[in-house]
Amino acid sequence: MMSDPEFKRQIYESYMHTAVRYCYQCSRCDDNCPVHAVTAAYSPRQNILKALLGINFVSAENRLAIYGCTVCDTCDEVCPNKIPLTHIFAVLKNLAAARNIAPDSFKGQGKSVHDNGTAIPISPPIARRRSAMGLPEKYELPISDVQAVMKATGFTDKLAKISIEPKKTTEA
Ligand code: SF4
Ligand code: SF4
């Protein structure tokens, strides 16, 4: 695999120039990653290696390697070199999203935050559970404020460009 200078520049400018610490591939991140524990197809160690070498693996085929991270932050805590892995993974996700490469669930949640002010709108079962816990069934969300922030940060423009595959329905 060839090194991609532009990809390397984007990764390095986002983080490496401020905290130059080198991954020595000890695998502590892999050993403690809950996602890697269930699938070898996701490896924070390999992601960091490729990022450091500038091997551009941002593609639709590598969606799991880019979006598999649940951002539990465990790898950040166990890395002996204090490499902020999850920050680098966020850069990878942003590079992928800029090319409309993202799971539909992520795109759908972004749209929901824009339209409803929350990723998970209050559904009747949620309202019932809230009521059972003594909470108001519904609450007002500052949707216009959320949309203003999304517009100012360019998220609204990005949202307009992404495509979400229609859900497949099974025939009765
Ligand atoms: S724990 Fe840190 S140093 Fe070790 S492989 Fe992972 S990123 Fe590299
Ligand atoms: S933050 Fe992501 S890569 Fe790191 S341990 Fe958690 S799931 Fe794995």
Side-chain angles (χ1 to χ4, degrees), residues 150-151 154-162:
M150 287 182 144
K151 190 167 183 198
F155 189 85
T156 307
D157 288 341
K158 286 181 184 161
L159 205 51
K161 289 179 192 154
I162 66 170

Side-chain angles (χ1 to χ4, degrees), residues 9 12 19 38 46 53 58 111 113 115-116 130 133 144 152:
R9 184 190 65 73
Y12 274 53
V38 293
Q46 285 191 26
L53 295 177
V58 176
K111 184 167 180 349
V113 171
D115 295 349
N116 307 303
R130 288 179 60 84
M133 294 169 74
S144 57

Side-chain angles (χ1 to χ4, degrees), residues 5-68:
E6 175 60 17
F7 174 72
K8 193 170 184 176
R9 184 190 65 73
Q10 287 170 314
I11 296 285
Y12 274 53
E13 282 193 355
S14 72
Y15 149 69
M16 294 301 290
H17 69 297
T18 55
V20 180
R21 296 190 175 95
Y22 295 107
C23 170
Y24 45 48
Q25 293 288 287
C26 67
S27 275
R28 281 181 78 179
C29 47
D30 271 10
D31 291 346
N32 290 277
C33 173
V35 182
H36 185 69
V38 293
T39 172
Y42 182 77
S43 163
R45 179 189 61 76
Q46 285 191 26
N47 280 1
I48 289 299
L49 180 62
K50 288 174 186 162
L52 294 179
L53 295 177
I55 294 169
N56 189 348
F57 64 107
V58 176
S59 69
E61 296 73 42
N62 290 327
R63 212 175 297 210
L64 174 62
I66 298 161
Y67 286 95

